[in-house]
Amino acid sequence: MDIIIQNSSDKPIYQQIVDQIKDRVLTGVLQPGEALPSMRLLARELKISVITTKRAYEELEREGFLTTQPGRGSFVAEKNLEFAREERMRALEESLAKAVELARGCGVSERELVQLVTLLYSGE
């Protein structure tokens, strides 16, 4: 599994794993029922502690993104489409809030920002 760990990031390693797996589930790269690498294998591939991958998998299970079957492994959970949409909307809201903050810092008016968003959304 291609997970990129950035040691210079402010995010803990387990959270980087969680975020990347969640993104792959929400975008359909990982399909419901698909097996994830074992915690030990992922830890070995990423050259990190098994405790870190265990924490990431537990977080993903707690949030409903994966299920663990003792003796079989961890699998992408059957996703609740409404839950997935809410998760993506929350990420969108965070990104837009950052964009608005940046625009304000640059002196961009609300009208200019709306025009820019409209232009970007229309694909022109």
Side-chain angles (χ1 to χ4, degrees), residues 9-78:
S9 174
D10 291 341
K11 281 187 183 177
I13 292 172
Y14 86 91
Q15 189 63 54
Q16 292 179 51
I17 296 167
V18 167
D19 291 348
Q20 290 178 55
I21 292 176
K22 280 171 58 172
D23 185 62
R24 289 187 176 109
V25 170
L26 292 170
T27 57
V29 173
L30 290 173
Q31 294 294 311
E34 189 171 337
L36 290 159
S38 71
M39 291 179 223
R40 291 184 200 292
L41 177 60
L42 185 59
R44 191 171 38 247
E45 287 176 357
L46 297 176
K47 296 177 176 54
I48 60 173
S49 166
V50 174
I51 295 169
T52 303
T53 56
K54 183 177 189 304
R55 184 170 180 190
Y57 277 30
E58 286 173 345
E59 178 75 18
L60 287 162
E61 188 165 15
R62 192 171 28 258
E63 292 184 23
F65 283 89
L66 66 86
T67 59
T68 301
Q69 299 173 7
R72 294 199 60 222
S74 297
F75 301 86
V76 176
E78 295 296 324

Side-chain angles (χ1 to χ4, degrees), residues 98-109:
K98 288 177 186 175
V100 168
E101 184 179 321
L102 181 60
R104 285 183 178 142
C106 294
V108 174
S109 71

